[in-house]
Each structure stands twice: as C-alpha cells, then as structure tokens.
C-alpha cells in the first residue's frame, strides 16, 4: 500500500510514524509513506496556503488550489486501475471507526489531506476528496493528529504488519467486546494480588474467567457494544453470573 499525506506541518509525522509497528511495516515494504508540504504545491512568491473567508468573518480559510495540485501530482494514473481514496480529515466528516480502518486497509493508495483550525475551501471536499473523516466529537487544531490516527490504525491491519503473537484477530473492537484485564510479574505488587486463577495453570478456567471479565467490563463501561455483540450460550451464562455478582458487576 502507498500512503501520501498533504500537510502544512509535514515535520510532525516522522516522530510518530517512524517508530514501532508502523516503522516495521515500512521497513518490510508493506507500506510506503510519503509526507508532503502543502506549500510545495503553491505557485506564489509567499507560498500562500490560506486566505480570507468570502463573506467575511474571523480567521482564514485554506485555499483549494494547493490541495488540488498536490493530489493531481500524487494520484495514480487513471489507467493503473488503482484502488485509491482521497481522504479529507475534517470535523464534519464521518466518524472513524475500526470498520473504516478495515475499508481503507483494502485500498492500494490513500491520499490524506490535513486541514487546519481555519477550515478548508468547501470545493476540496466536494470535488477532490472521495471521503471526509473525523476522529471524534472534540475540537483539535488540525488534521495532522487525525491523519496519524488513520495511518496507525490502517497500517497495523495490513497482512504481515503484526507478528503472529500480536495478531489483530482478537482486538476488542474487532470482536465487539472490551478486552479482559492483563497481569504480569510480580504476582503481588504493593499488596495487590493478581487473580489466583491466572497463576493456576487451568487453561479452561482461565479462558472462562477472561471471557467473563471481558463481558463484565463491556457491560459496565460500554453497554452499547453488548447490544451489537454476537453472544454464545456460555456468554449469556457468564453475564448472568456477572449480574448476580452485584457491586462488581
Ligand atoms: C474556525 C474553526 N472551527 C469552527 C468551530 C471549525 C474547525 C475547523 C477545523 C475546528 C477545528 C478544525 C481542526 N480540526 C480538524 O481539522 C480535524 C478534526 C477535529 O478537530 N476533531 C476530530 N476530528 C478531526 S479530523 C480533522
């Protein structure tokens, strides 16, 4: 997969996307990442990327032209038959979720457009972007952090990006439930003991305990996820036990 980013702050990407799993995926050739300065696609002496809003009002608006020129320079040739998505990161976009990440991971080429607090000329969204994405209902100062969120979530889904051990199959949101609590050595830390069952070596009991804790947490913290989850007969039984458990349930 190829991912290109257009931003007026290109330098913020490498410290985040140059480490850990994304770094490994890039080194393994699973993804090639290009971050481009939007100013490189201006044509005036001052390399202007924004201007006053038509109709007046405070702040500035990012100009359409640099985004169009950037995308035109970066996009695959039409005859290549490339599955390409031009994504505008903006507060008014569709909410980014695990399903969105899965869809984007199936493309050959992503071009991510980062706007700023001022907003972007509407013609970018209307005539250039194939999709507009928001990462949630809170106000950020620009699309750079959201673009990094998208790259991170998409790249780890590319086949081979995660080792066999870290496989993405059991991800909370992939399965529709929150994950069970994890513990590691020491068995007692500052007087707090790790659950006995995890030290017992009884694999079946451990599996049941983890599933029950997963259900307990989901019910308490994210009840709306339980509505959409596919529950087995055993899950319903464990949920019944959670309810009887009272205060901890
Ligand atoms: C004058 C600015 N705002 C009017 C209330 C609109 C506005 C435009 C652009 C507010 C923030 C931004 C910058 N944010 C993004 O570009 C952004 C974003 C976000 O703020 N929250 C969640 N997801 C995203 S994706 C891009």
């Amino acid at each position: 997969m190829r991912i290109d980013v257009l931003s007026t702050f290109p330098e913020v990407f490498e410290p985040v996307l140059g480490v850990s799993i994304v770094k490994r995926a890039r080194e393994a050739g699973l993804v090639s990442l290009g971050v481009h300065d939007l100013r490189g696609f201006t044509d005036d002496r001052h390399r202007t990327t924004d201007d006053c809003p038509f109709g007046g009002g405070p702040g500035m608006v990012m100009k359409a032209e640099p985004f169009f020129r950037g995308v035109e320079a970066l996009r695959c040739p039409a005859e290549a038959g490339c599955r390409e998505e031009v994504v505008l990161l903006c507060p008014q976009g569709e909410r980014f979720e695990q399903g969105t990440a899965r869809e984007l991971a199936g493309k050959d080429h992503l071009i991510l457009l980062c706007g700023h607090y001022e907003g972007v000329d509407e013609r970018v969204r209307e005539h250039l972007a194939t999709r507009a994405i928001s990462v949630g209902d809170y106000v950020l100062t620009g699309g750079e952090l959201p673009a990094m969120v998208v790259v991170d979530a998409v790249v780890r889904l590319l086949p081979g990006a995660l080792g066999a051990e870290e496989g993405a199959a059991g991800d909370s949101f992939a399965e529709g439930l929150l994950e069970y609590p994890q513990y590691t050595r020491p068995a007692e830390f500052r007087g707090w003991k790790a659950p006995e069952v995890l030290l017992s070596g009884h694999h079946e009991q451990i599996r049941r305990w983890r599933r029950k804790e997963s259900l307990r947490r989901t019910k308490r913290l994210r009840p709306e996820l339980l509505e959409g989850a596919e529950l087995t007969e055993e899950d319903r039984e464990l949920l019944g036990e959670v309810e009887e458990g009272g205060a901890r349930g």
Side-chain angles (χ1 to χ4, degrees):
M1 163 181 271
R2 169 82 189 171
I3 304 180
D4 287 292
V5 180
L6 273 170
S7 161
T8 49
F9 298 95
E11 70 280 5
V12 305
F13 289 85
E14 197 54 35
V16 175
L17 301 178
V19 302
S20 185
I21 287 164
V22 177
K23 176 192 187 180
R24 243 172 40 200
R26 291 166 73 185
E27 287 170 353
L30 302 176
V31 62
S32 124
L33 184 66
V35 182
H36 311 271
D37 189 346
L38 193 64
R39 290 179 180 280
F41 299 99
T42 57
D43 54 7
D44 64 311
R45 209 161 55 86
H46 297 106
R47 306 207 298 162
T48 313
T49 57
D50 58 7
D51 207 337
C52 310
F54 279 138
M60 302 286 272
V61 176
M62 293 185 79
K63 296 165 71 63
E65 180 76 23
F67 284 111
F68 274 78
R69 287 173 48 146
V71 170
E72 283 154 8
L74 296 167
R75 79 168 23 135
C76 306
E79 63 274 16
C82 166
R83 282 169 299 189
E84 193 165 58
E85 198 91 72
V86 180
V87 179
L88 174 65
L89 287 309
C90 72
Q92 302 81 13
E94 58 170 313
R95 175 79 62 87
F96 186 66
E97 291 185 349
Q98 190 62 24
T100 329
R102 267 186 236 116
E103 281 175 37
L104 296 180
K107 306 288 177 181
D108 302 309
H109 188 200
L110 304 179
I111 303 179
L112 306 181
L113 310 179
C114 305
H116 245 260
Y117 49 88
E118 38 214 349
V120 177
D121 188 303
E122 187 62 19
R123 288 164 291 196
V124 170
R125 175 213 275 275
E126 270 191 339
H127 304 295
L128 187 65
T130 56
R131 184 151 197 178
I133 287 178
S134 156
V135 295
D137 291 342
Y138 35 83
V139 182
L140 300 170
T141 59
E144 281 76 15
L145 287 166
M148 289 191 263
V149 166
V150 169
V151 172
D152 191 273
V154 167
V155 167
R156 66 184 289 288
L157 291 179
L158 299 177
L162 301 180
E165 301 210 341
E166 323 153 294
D171 286 355
S172 290
F173 293 105
E175 239 209 304
L177 295 181
L178 298 184
E179 265 161 37
Y180 52 79
Q182 301 263 35
Y183 297 85
T184 187
R185 280 186 281 266
E188 182 172 338
F189 170 69
R190 299 192 177 179
W192 300 298
K193 291 189 169 71
E196 205 82 54
V197 59
L198 298 179
L199 307 171
S200 69
H202 291 125
H203 299 294
E204 175 57 17
Q205 281 180 33
I206 291 170
R207 187 195 60 76
R208 254 180 89 90
W209 182 87
R210 286 180 164 167
R211 189 69 187 174
K212 184 171 171 180
E213 291 307 311
S214 204
L215 290 159
R216 184 202 308 280
R217 278 185 162 186
T218 308
K219 180 175 154 63
R220 185 168 54 196
L221 300 170
R222 299 292 303 278
E224 80 283 7
L225 291 180
L226 271 187
E227 308 295 313
E230 280 182 38
L231 300 182
T232 64
E233 197 56 47
E234 181 189 46
D235 288 338
R236 300 196 184 283
E237 186 188 311
L238 291 170
L239 265 176
E241 293 178 21
V242 164
E243 269 145 43
E244 286 160 30
R248 273 205 73 201

